[in-house]
Amino acid sequence: MVAEADRDSQYERFTTAADAVADRLEQRATQANGAASEVLTATAGLVRDRGWRKTVKKNINSGHPAEYAVVAATTKFISMFEAAGGVMAERTTDLRDIRDRTIAELRGEPEPGLPAVTEPVVLLADDLSPADTAALDTDLFIALVTELGGPTSHTAIIARQLNVPCIVAVGESMNSVEDGTKVLVDGSLGTIVTNPDADDATAQVAAWKDMAERVAQWQGPATTADGHRVQLLANVQDGKAARTAAGTQAEGIGLFRTEMCFLNSSDEPSVDEQAKVYSKVFEAFPESKVVVRSLDAGSDKPVAFASMADEMNPALGVRGLRVARGNEGLLHRQLDAIAKAAKDCGRGDNAPTWVMAPMVATAREAKWFSGLCAERGLTAGAMIEVPAAALMADKIMPHLDFVSIGTNDLTQYTMAADRLSPQLAYLTDPWQPAVLRLIDHTCRIGEKTGTAVGVCGEAAADPLLACVLTGLGVNSLSAASTAIAGVGAQLAEVTFDDCKQAANAALDAPGAVAAREAVRALLLNA
């Protein structure tokens, strides 16, 4: 036990170490771009989090040394994040990372991180922190394979930005691969071949490099080889991300996640405060379409002033539009702020402001939300992420100007599988034909009602799956801005008829793996 007289010095040791870790992460963030910079900044924010530090201090005041206090505090927060599920559960990797970095700093040891290598290697790991992924030397680490994680984890997103083949959640099978084994990693198929045929491997790598060159040269706008137009948009969470997206081929914003601006707010921001935040996104695309998602609080995005407390199953609880049932004023004020920001930025017909509600499940909800938007001169839409909304699209769409399919949640709800569970990654694959059939149904209804149908989930970032979605009738695709060129370049390689054939093949497949393989065989030979 630490004597009471020594506890202040123990806490000072901790704060000095934690500040050093946060400073290094923030310095790395200034040297990185896009998602990597955002993740490093967010990780530094965890180190500076007052709640985490307060818990460490409480542990020290109970007589524990700084090292033990850090481990105990982090364990508490990991349990809380795992219980919340979704994106919060995903952040447990970040928590373990800041714990290990702080402990190393306290002990005067080297900062944990990537192994030292001198020649190109494929990195196999239990998991990889976003901070380490962002710092990868892509000339040496040419592919990543992790036992844990998920397709929407920060590690996977950053790897895509770096254009590094990455396969996550492969399970314990990777432990049988010994150091020094030659492997062929196909990130698009999610396959690892040990000791591959040399000629075949050389041909596949050459084809990948050729496609990478075409991606680097692609300028947009996106069309298929025979001129079918597809609008490519960016997913953002704040003004900084929007400015980054504006430097890419993105034609606008297809998903502005407004709740991400307020995760650390204990009180609801005023209309004026919200409008200032929204204006920063609008200013990045002053003459382009911007799709704003109303507050998607709850479940994996707990917003202090909007989320329900202690739900038994938050992923199926009061989240998204459902929050407004018990606090309608919250939604009214947000829509007022969006309308104010659009007016202040001088947005008009040439730069439409579209607003969509998350977690819409019924026609009544769609009609109600549409009416609120109409009162403020906003274009109304809804997320299709609840299977019921897809199945009832014929009743929902007449009330709306557009819908956007959130494939991440639609997949997990359709397959009854947590999308961040490594054990269930084979189910939470957007290539699942069951999910594609719901998207197909939604697009067919959209054609009948004249309702624009977009996709804003991670599926839109997969070049081959983007072709399938185009063949199903999706009008726009919105993804991380770093993925846009890859999608556009792939669409330019195929015709619209190729996309339709690929869509039919995927719909008819018995499972996700078969769907992906069938489409790959069709399109890469098109």
Side-chain angles (χ1 to χ4, degrees), residues 120 138 142 163 165 201-217:
T138 55
I142 58 176
N163 202 26
T202 300
Q204 289 193 45
V205 170
W208 178 83
K209 288 182 177 179
D210 180 61
M211 188 62 196
E213 290 179 4
R214 292 200 293 274
V215 170
Q217 295 170 2

Side-chain angles (χ1 to χ4, degrees), residues 219-255:
Q219 294 299 315
T223 62
T224 59
D226 57 344
H228 179 77
R229 188 76 167 81
V230 182
Q231 191 175 41
L232 297 187
L233 308 166
N235 295 344
V236 304
Q237 67 275 359
D238 55 26
K240 181 180 179 182
R243 290 190 294 274
T244 298
T248 71
Q249 301 91 340
E251 300 176 54
I253 301 297
L255 171 60

Side-chain angles (χ1 to χ4, degrees), residues 354-373:
W354 293 15
V355 185
M356 60 184 179
M359 293 297 289
V360 168
T362 68
R364 183 177 181 181
E365 290 173 338
K367 181 179 180 180
W368 172 61
F369 182 77
S370 180
L372 296 178
C373 289

Side-chain angles (χ1 to χ4, degrees), residues 3 32 71 75 122 180 289 292 299 327 380 389 399 414 465 520:
V71 172
T75 299
V122 172
K289 178 174 76 175
V292 183
S299 184
N327 189 351
H399 301 294
T414 300
L465 188 48
R520 184 183 177 91

Side-chain angles (χ1 to χ4, degrees), residues 17-42:
D19 287 345
V21 170
D23 288 345
R24 281 197 296 270
L25 290 169
E26 288 167 347
Q27 179 60 32
R28 289 185 189 176
T30 64
Q31 299 169 352
N33 297 308
S37 176
E38 294 161 11
V39 168
L40 287 166
T41 300

Side-chain angles (χ1 to χ4, degrees), residues 190-484:
T191 59
I192 310 164
V193 179
T194 58
N195 298 311
D197 176 78
D199 291 339
D200 182 54
T202 300
Q204 289 193 45
V205 170
W208 178 83
K209 288 182 177 179
D210 180 61
M211 188 62 196
E213 290 179 4
R214 292 200 293 274
V215 170
Q217 295 170 2
W218 186 82
Q219 294 299 315
T223 62
T224 59
D226 57 344
H228 179 77
R229 188 76 167 81
V230 182
Q231 191 175 41
L232 297 187
L233 308 166
N235 295 344
V236 304
Q237 67 275 359
D238 55 26
K240 181 180 179 182
R243 290 190 294 274
T244 298
T248 71
Q249 301 91 340
E251 300 176 54
I253 301 297
L255 171 60
F256 172 20
R257 302 181 178 97
T258 56
E259 67 281 347
M260 304 303 286
C261 302
F262 306 116
L263 289 180
N264 295 322
S265 299
S266 56
D267 299 312
E268 179 190 348
S270 68
V271 169
D272 287 342
E273 289 170 334
Q274 290 187 59
K276 288 180 181 178
V277 172
Y278 305 149
S279 292
K280 292 178 181 178
V281 172
F282 292 151
E283 288 166 358
F285 284 89
E287 299 179 356
S288 304
K289 178 174 76 175
V290 174
V291 181
V292 183
R293 181 174 69 187
S294 64
L295 201 65
D296 192 14
S299 184
D300 55 355
K301 294 177 286 289
V303 177
F305 59 84
S307 300
M308 299 294 291
D310 301 324
E311 289 190 277
M312 292 295 292
N313 193 340
L316 298 177
V318 181
R319 57 168 295 200
L321 186 64
R322 299 169 182 179
V323 173
R325 285 177 58 87
N327 189 351
E328 191 170 330
L330 185 70
L331 178 60
H332 283 230
R333 289 185 290 274
Q334 183 178 30
L335 293 177
D336 287 341
I338 295 169
K340 183 179 188 305
K343 182 179 179 181
D344 291 346
C345 292
R347 299 180 66 80
D349 293 339
N350 294 328
T353 302
W354 293 15
V355 185
M356 60 184 179
M359 293 297 289
V360 168
T362 68
R364 183 177 181 181
E365 290 173 338
K367 181 179 180 180
W368 172 61
F369 182 77
S370 180
L372 296 178
C373 289
E375 292 171 4
R376 296 162 173 83
L378 300 170
T379 301
M383 294 281 287
I384 302 295
E385 51 195 342
V386 178
L391 294 171
M392 295 295 289
D394 61 324
K395 305 299 181 185
I396 288 175
M397 284 188 180
H399 301 294
L400 304 168
D401 295 296
F402 74 99
V403 297
S404 186
I405 300 170
T407 53
N408 300 347
D409 273 329
L410 181 61
T411 301
Q412 82 164 340
Y413 291 139
T414 300
M415 304 306 295
D418 185 341
R419 63 187 175 92
L420 292 176
S421 168
Q423 293 80 15
L424 301 179
Y426 72 101
L427 290 175
T428 54
D429 185 335
W431 282 90
Q432 288 287 354
V435 176
L436 297 177
R437 290 185 183 194
L438 287 174
I439 296 173
D440 179 53
H441 176 74
T442 302
C443 289
R444 290 178 184 275
I445 299 300
E447 290 177 4
K448 292 180 180 179
T449 60
T451 307
V453 178
V455 167
C456 62
E458 282 299 311
D462 181 331
L464 288 181
L465 188 48
C467 294
V468 171
L469 296 172
T470 298
L472 291 174
V474 169
N475 309 121
S476 64
L477 299 166
S478 187
S481 58
T482 52
I484 289 174

